[in-house]
Amino acid sequence: MKDSCLLNQVLLTFTDSFIEHREDLSAVMLTPEKHLWFGSDETSTIERLSWIDANNFGEHKQFHVKEFIDLPAPEDEEIDIEGIEYSDRYLWFVGSHSWKRKKPKPDKSDAKNINRLTQVKSEPNRYILGRIPLVDGELWKTCPHPDNANVQLVAAKLEVTQQGNVLIEALANDPHLGCFIKAEIPGKDNGFDIEGIAVYQNRIILGLRGPVLRGWAMMLEIEVELSETGLLTLKPIAEAGSLYKKHFLFLNGLGIRDLHLDGEDLLILAGPTMDLDGPVQVYRLSGGIHLQEDVLYYPEYLQDIPYGNRNDHAEGITPYQDIAGMPSLLVVYDSPAKNRLVGETGAIADIFKLGQ
């Protein structure tokens, strides 16, 4: 296996309002203005940090998603943002679309914890796939396209339904995914769980942490359009008129934890589907924006990302070559080790040289 090459570490400094959630970072995207945009799997907000110098990002600003699009549930119910992408003046983000199971807590008895493991629920905000105009480093509900005054940029989300949204409805009878959705299997139990998004022109690629089928991870490809009601709807994308395409990838039995474009390739962060430590690996899928259906893909393994003992779980990656000056990735961690936490508001991210 190729060794990881740590180029640098950078300090991410948040404000007091985000102290608790610096340990829940689940998505990251570097945009051309040298801003880092973050999602947390415990909030319904999007965070922005600005480049300060080679070792620091700060000037934290928080954006409440409810100020740009209507949420199906109150803001205190998390969106569980698991992917962030930037494309053509829009910041795209996606919730996990997953069911959740309560976890045992150390302050409760064994009997109560065993009962907690029976409790499964779905939360409407987790089924958000949305976009918000991003111009001059700010998010807007609506604004003119800076390169085309005749085009109005508008915040919007995929149409929600009783089952979650129109994508979940379309997948309900899918021969690979339908049984997981209908059985209401939680994401961390190898259930349906979106944890990555890449956007190229009018196409959206969604990476699935689960299910992993006999060692094969999956991606979904969709196209959306803005309806007269201001909602995003699915367009037929496959030759047979289907509303989605499926792509199967062999990632050594791992699920997808994040996705990003690198030219016309896809960079894939792969990690365990279940709630356990490592391995965590980075792959490149050449020509990943031009995939055919009914093909089994074997992405190129690039390198490992270190992981800890019940901590340091790599959750988000973003290409970093525009700042580092060489092919590289910035990596953020969920459940960071204590030595990654700096003061009351800081967390350390890693910069790795990207294997070729």
Side-chain angles (χ1 to χ4, degrees), residues 3-40:
D3 293 332
S4 302
C5 181
L6 184 65
L7 291 176
N8 192 20
Q9 292 184 312
V10 295
L11 177 62
L12 312 174
T13 302
F14 299 95
T15 57
D16 291 347
S17 65
F18 203 68
I19 291 176
E20 177 184 357
H21 300 300
R22 63 179 173 157
E23 300 185 45
D24 304 318
L25 299 177
S26 55
V28 62
M29 180 71 204
L30 177 69
T31 52
E33 301 89 354
K34 293 185 178 180
H35 291 143
L36 285 176
W37 297 85
F38 299 91
S40 164

Side-chain angles (χ1 to χ4, degrees), residues 9 52 82 92 118 161 221 250 259 275 309 331 349:
Q9 292 184 312
I52 305 298
E82 296 288 359
W92 290 82
T118 69
T161 67
E221 183 179 347
F250 190 74
L259 288 177
D275 186 15
N309 181 9
V331 180

